[in-house]
Amino acid sequence: MASGSARATRLRVRSRIRFSGGSSPQPLAQNLPLSLVTPLEEGRISLAEIAGGHRYDLRRKSSPVSSSSESSNFCTPTPPKRTRRSKSSNCVPLSEVAGGYYLQNELPDEVLLKIFSYLLEFDLSNVAQTSKRLNTVANDNELWKRLYQSVYEYDFPLISEEGCSFKFVQPRSGEGENLWKKSFKMLYRALHVRASYAAEYDSHPQRYIGRNVKYFDSVNAAYFYAVDTNAENPMILIHSGTYSRKYLVFDAPVTLIGAGPGNVSDHVIIERQSESTVTFCEGAKDAYLGYVTLKFSPSIGSSVPHHKHYALEITNNCSPTIDHCVIRSSSVVGAAVCVSGAGADPHIRRCDISDCENVGLYITDYAQGTYEDCEISRNALAGVWVKNHANPIMRGNHIHHGRDVGIFTFDNGIGYFENNEIHDNRIAGFEVKAGANPTVIKCHIHHGQTGGIYVHENGRGQFLENKIHSNNFAGIWVTSNSDPTIRKNEIFNGHQGGVYIFGEGRGLIEFNDIYGNALAGIQIRTNSNPIVRHNKIHHGQHGGIYVHEKGQGLIEENEVYSNTLAGVWITTGSSPILRKNRIHSGKQVGVYFYDNGHGTLEDNDIFNHLYSGVQIRTGSNPVIRRNKIWGGQNGGILVYNGGLGMIEHNEIFDNAMAGVWIKTDSNPKLKHNKIHDGRDGGVCIFNGGRGILELNDIFRNTQAGVLISNQSNPTLRNNRIFDGQAAGIEITNNATATLEGNKIFNNKFGGLCLASGVNPILKGNKMYNNLNMVEKVVSNGQCLYKISSYTSFPMHDFYRCQTCNTTDRNAICINCIKTCHAGHQVEFIRHDRFFCDCGAGTLNNSCQLQGEPTQDTDTLYDSAAPMESHTLMVN
């Protein structure tokens, strides 16, 4: 800083400067660079303003007489218009005054900042208009930050966003705009509620001269002042403290904002023990309440009923914005927030409604509103209630760890719920009851202590594109005549099932991805009748779809695959319709009918299962129509243990074992099927199996086209059995049959092969162009093993060699008896199906007619038995 003598010299020089009308500036000013004499905004200012008219005079004052005489010779410019200087003008630029030059160019910034720190907001703004340099210094962030925090207490500038919204913005170094000043200007006309501050402000008028701020001791006092003075868009800043004397009712478009350091809502608390803490009613259309804590804390011994008292109440025909508030209620009845009545349409966002001893948010009686980005947690009852035609919009909320349900819509409640995070609630994440019809979109509902979504008692709703997973019970429950739409959801990793429909539930369940659940992906029971279509149901730890206890439903165009148990179970009087589904790659059965399971299975593609593609047992009687059942690692269709069914117009091919198995007193009807290219037989009927086979095409199978064994007695009528790699029809082991009007041709081991003692009923059958490979091999002196394998063997006479100690399970062909066992004691057993153990190399003597021995030690008289399902039944 300059020395005292130098400063005195400058002041003496400055005091001798005088102007006369039309005179030119003194040489000191004439010698200044042109760039430094250019004012910022108003151009030139009068010396009267410099010498005597400004509160902070930068010059030594002249005597009163001299000042008055001189000031009369100055003309004042007309702001904000810039005046043109003429030779006759008495106005001079500030920069042409010696003191002005020093102030603008030489006085250090640190000194200016120190001086300006004593100025209030209006003086600081006026100084900023005098020159570019002073404008820069006067807009210093630290200056305005100190000034701002002394008035508003905030740690960061509070900025108004588009619409009725305020947020704190952290200034960044190097930014052009001074956010502290911007916020100061925006909030300046606000009324301040600051207890005991009005007296201090009024008792020091000189300290706050030029500042026009009004302070009040209570919120009601500030509000009534704003209403009485008809203030336009009044704003009230509520400073740090606890306000609990009177309940607050607002019926005008007032803006109320908490004002304090740090987390503002922690410092500004409005609390009541009786009546609702804050109420907005008709007239408060564009009101705003932000950054405060609202508490309703009735005394424990109070006898006043509080079921209609709330921390925040919003009534008919008003639409306030509630923003960044913390809302608490310790009342064991009612709710923390209640929005009720037609026209109630608030915007509640970024609020914390938690730890309440009742419902968090209660919306009822035709109320609407938008509720966004709120934290709703750890409430004793539901996080949200929507009731009686209320229709809110809820987006981006976090609803969790409630001691009841997360969101509960009931009694015709509606609502639109999007992108909410709902988890770890004690009951369902989302419950719909009694005619409620919400729309739930893209929500994340998980880790519920019971289910994810529960729709019951005539509930409806649209559940679209949600993620529902890891709930302890089913991801979605639908019951008691409810009829929701469940569409495009991802339902996975549930500790029980995916979707559970029971108690006459309905619903449209489509385009969902359901996987990895501990029980069935979809379970339908007790007269329920949903539509299930276009879903992917896969990789379940249990079955895919389970229909039981008289369940129904239309199940179409789904892909059901890679489930641990059956792809679809149908049991206990159930009768669904399965149409156009792809059911494949299961670890057990594709579709399993048991214990009087019925229904229609048509136009499905069923393939690549470890067990049979379709199993029917124990009184089940489905219609199996126009399906493709193929590529199984076992049989195609297995009907056993008294199973029935109409099996018609199916294509059954490329299965590892028989295309159709009928056994153990089962009696199905097979009609118009194509059973072909099996890696075993076409149709195998044994162990007392019956059935009617009519108008089927059975062709190109590795084993017999039809094998009938073990006391079985089917009827075959008007079938075509052809191009088989073995016999057309074989009947063995005391079985019989009725064969009428069949065409049997081009089979390799003959048309009809009958074991000893078999006498079927034959009527009008045609057998032609069949080969007799057995007789050809016998006539050539070859072992019959040449044309057999482990599972394929011809029908012929077979013997046993007592000399070689063969067992009841061994058989020897006629040529081996003549050659390999010549001179041995042998016996004829019967004419039947077998392969030669001598040729197989399983006897002590080496076969002289055959090549390499095999490891098989038992002659197989029947096709390999199919795998039966022992699926675990879990309700």
Side-chain angles (χ1 to χ4, degrees), residues 750-768:
L752 176 61
C753 297
L754 304 176
S756 298
V758 171
N759 296 296
I761 299 172
L762 304 175
K763 296 181 181 179
N765 299 286
K766 294 182 179 179
M767 289 176 276
Y768 55 93

Side-chain angles (χ1 to χ4, degrees), residues 56 66 164 197 227 272 274 475 483 759 766 769 788 821 828 871:
Y56 301 98
S66 174
C164 191
Y197 205 79
V227 172
R272 289 287 296 163
S274 63
D483 191 15
N759 296 296
K766 294 182 179 179
N769 294 338
S788 66
H821 298 269
F828 173 74
T871 303

Side-chain angles (χ1 to χ4, degrees), residues 14 116 123 435 592 611 712 752:
R14 188 185 308 166
F116 290 173
D123 295 322
Y592 184 25
Y611 291 5
S712 297
L752 176 61

Side-chain angles (χ1 to χ4, degrees), residues 505-560:
R506 299 190 303 279
L508 172 61
I509 303 165
E510 63 177 358
F511 296 106
N512 301 285
D513 192 5
I514 304 171
Y515 62 92
N517 297 286
L519 299 183
I522 296 178
Q523 185 175 171
I524 304 169
R525 63 180 288 227
T526 51
N527 297 302
S528 296
N529 190 16
I531 297 173
V532 180
R533 64 187 183 194
H534 301 295
N535 301 284
K536 287 185 176 181
I537 305 165
H538 59 100
H539 290 95
Q541 300 173 43
H542 201 258
I545 300 174
Y546 182 23
V547 189
H548 61 118
E549 296 181 41
K550 300 184 179 178
Q552 300 177 54
L554 173 61
I555 302 170
E556 62 179 356
E557 298 187 72
N558 302 282
E559 185 166 11
V560 184

Side-chain angles (χ1 to χ4, degrees), residues 384-415:
V384 180
W385 271 6
V386 180
K387 178 183 177 183
N388 194 20
H389 304 281
N391 193 10
I393 295 173
M394 299 194 70
R395 288 192 178 102
N397 301 286
H398 189 192
I399 304 167
H400 62 100
H401 287 95
R403 286 172 274 168
D404 199 89
V405 67
I407 298 175
F408 184 23
T409 58
F410 62 107
D411 289 353
N412 300 300
I414 314 174

